Amino acid sequence: MYRTLEWPWLSAFLAFGLFCAIVIGRGSDPRLARKLAVVVASLFTIAGIVATILFYNVMNPTPWVDPLRVIGFHEEPLLAVDSLNALLLPFASILSLSALLATPRALMTPARIGIILWQLCAVWLLFLSEDLILVAVAWVIGLMPLLPSRHTMWSLGGHIHVPYLVLSCVLFIAGVAGIIQAGVDAQVLAPSSLLDAHGIEAYIPRWVLPAILIAVMIRKGVFPFHSWMPSLADREGTSTVALLAAPQVSLFVLIRIGLAIFPSASAEAMPWVGQIALVATLYGAVVGLGARDMRRAYGWMVVSQSSLVLVGLECANISGITGALVLWIAMGLSLTGLGLAIACIESRVNRIDLRKFYGLGVQAPILATCFLILGMASVGLPGTLGYVAEDLIAHGTLDAHPWTGIAMILATAANGFNVLRCFFRIFGGPSPEGRYVWDLLLRERLALVGLVVLLIVSGIFPGPLVDTRTSVAVQLVSDVSESHAH
Amino acid sequence: MSTEQFFTACAITILLLPTLAFLWLGANLLIQRRPSELMISRISGTAQLGSLLAAITISMAMMFNHTDQVVVDLGAWFIAANYEFEIVFLIDRLSMPFVLLTCILTGIVGRFSRSYLHHESGYARFFLLMLMFLVGMLCLAMGGTIDLLFAGWELVGLSSALLIGFFQHRKEPVLNGLRTFAVYRICDVGLLVGAILLHHYAHTAEFDLVFTHAHWPVGLPDIPTAPLHVIGLLFLLAAMGKSGQVPFGNWLPRAMEGPTPSSAIFYGGISIHAGAYLLLRMSPLLERSAITMVSIVVIGLLTAIYGTLVGRVQCDVKNQLAYSAMAQVGLIFVEIGFGFHFFALLHMGGHATLRTLQFLRSATVLREFNRLKAATGGSDLSRGGGQYEFLFPMRLRRWLYTAAMRGCDMDAVVQSTLVGPLMKIAGSLERIEERWAGNIDAKRVEP
């Protein structure tokens, strides 16, 4: 059951966001574009927070849907807020707002600012969509800024992400088409609606789930489809990777489509996916130790830590899944912050070679503190949300598969060492002679300190966040058990 | 106010005051407000004193009430269906001496640092890290669950590594801090896996329940024998790392790169005993595993011999003290291995106090030495040692001397068997990945 909103707030807000993204992206004054974009992203953040508070305190637990319908299309809702996506809306907005504030001025052309807003709208659209076609559209438009252009179409040197991302789009669209075709075969009234797709698993061809799983694994950068992630970080910078990886839209799709439409097949496939993700977690952590460049080291951290979320999701018990869902938020906040901190450092000293010492600690202590807290929070520093998430995942995985849990702990230990290695290389050693390195600017401080405060406050008082994620985990576990019973 | 409420209030006070001081200082530094040196030392001193007074009050109350153990349960921090993270403090004959020792020694070192680090650019950072260490140590000591103990353990490890790299404008302290952190991370895996296995087999993380409500050092954990051995050895691995035992002990002299007050509190006083504390806390469990107890004795003995041997050839006072501390903690391990819990606890207290004093005095030892020399009419005071060496044949003495000078190649062994191969594999894989991704071409056009 769901409750329909009186006004099409969700669709109107998304349309407004996309309009702003296009207008701002076509502007010529980067300062004005950034200011406008910050206002728009702040509106999204406020709207997301209001929606979350209203959902959990007023409407709970009924999902509310947008009244928008497309003439000639089916009558099922297209956009909805529910327990899974309610919290993710402000989360995604905060990530984009932080990126808009902290990304160095040299990188912030109006086009780039437009892309950040565009990606925010794509993430919102994907989170809110109740229709498979809209999910596929959101999947593709979120990647559009990274897909081939005239210049990159035929030259893959340094653009290794292009074939990976194109493949993920093709596989995902094919998978969605397969599900819709199955809906047509099963004579469902609205074959593309996610709300009507339950119970059509028997009609879906066998290749569809593998196609979707591979698309998800590519987009998440899970082994063996991981190479594009550090490469993209190397090529485009850490803030681009942060915004692409941190919202974890592929994980959302896995839960929304994989677990909801294919409960039985997913239950069989998830242990394999989990084991592969575990290899990715360990592999990313180990290879990250050998990285000589900060951008690549960051790329490996993203590969390793984002795969960890899949490991938690696979363990099929409530504490593990809750841990994965909490880690989703914790990792998003911390790795986005870390990526932005690296971008801030690069704007001061150019690219960072991890074989050298940069000695920035004396001149930029706040940047150093933010870097350390954000980095360590991503690997479970006590007192931050990362610790809560890692604790839940560790208990969940060790309850389900002890060896998986041990491998996960080893990977986290290696990542922790890697964070401190990068910290000491950048902020330790002799200070640069004759070079003035300024500490965080006000806008950068707002973003990075804000993320630090968010991680610490939610780490000290994790109760409400864990409660909301536990309810989602309970729902997921009961859905899978129900399908097994059938 | 009931007795239970009284103990709860005191336990919260012990932990809350340093936490608030830490958050206050951290928040100030984060918003670029630098409080005066006097303000920093006063606030941190007040927090330390408040914790100490609360700890003394609890100890006195326990003594007058003839209570051995009080469990303060503050409820669940967070709950995920059937899993709860409980905030439980265990106040007993093991934790209270350790808490008192921590508060007293940290307070003394804090007061000492006020003058010692006067006008030092990292003055606020030092106090921030010291408060972080204090919070971690109190969590570790009072933690009534293995999860809380682990949280404290992690904070202690991080603050330790950061304080070793305190003089960040030089490369060596930074590299040594990193090296120490690497050892900590390797050994922390033991604690985390052990903690989760303990939770898995005992179905609880609370020490009070694991040890079936028996008061320390007694307890009958209901865990099958095979996992018991594994858990015991994992906790031993964690203790070896934190307490600088063989073969992980060589981070200890490296840690001397930090400022003297931090060396005193970490590697002379409190932190180095954290591993021994863990073994004591888990002793009812470890005693049921003969393999673990024998391993504790063997490792303790080897460390004591190693520390004595290598410490005797050090020409730097802080290094000499570090190796002496290592040897003494090795002996404490032996005592724990033989089941002398209270003796080990007493040894720990005595050693921590003496070593803190020695470290704090090490900064002025040369001046003191010259003063003594002058007072005794210039007699040669530098000759020392030589008490037992003459018992060995000259050839063996030379061999031992060479081995001691080289630190028994322990660093090289760890480097060649663990760190080196891992870094080599990591480097090779990264190069393959770089080639695969075509980044070599891309790098040629980098700005």
Side-chain angles (χ1 to χ4, degrees), chain B residues 21-42:
Chain B
F22 168 71
L23 290 175
W24 169 79
L25 188 51
N28 268 297
L29 294 181
L30 215 50
I31 56 169
Q32 241 174 350
R33 263 191 59 200
R34 188 173 287 269
S36 69
E37 286 188 3
L38 191 66
M39 177 79 111
I40 292 170
S41 62
R42 271 191 186 162

Side-chain angles (χ1 to χ4, degrees), chain A residues 58-77:
Chain A
V58 183
M59 307 283 194
N60 194 31
T62 318
W64 15 296
V65 301
D66 192 273
L68 177 81
R69 302 288 184 276
V70 179
I71 299 164
F73 206 52
H74 61 71
E75 286 301 306
E76 292 292 342

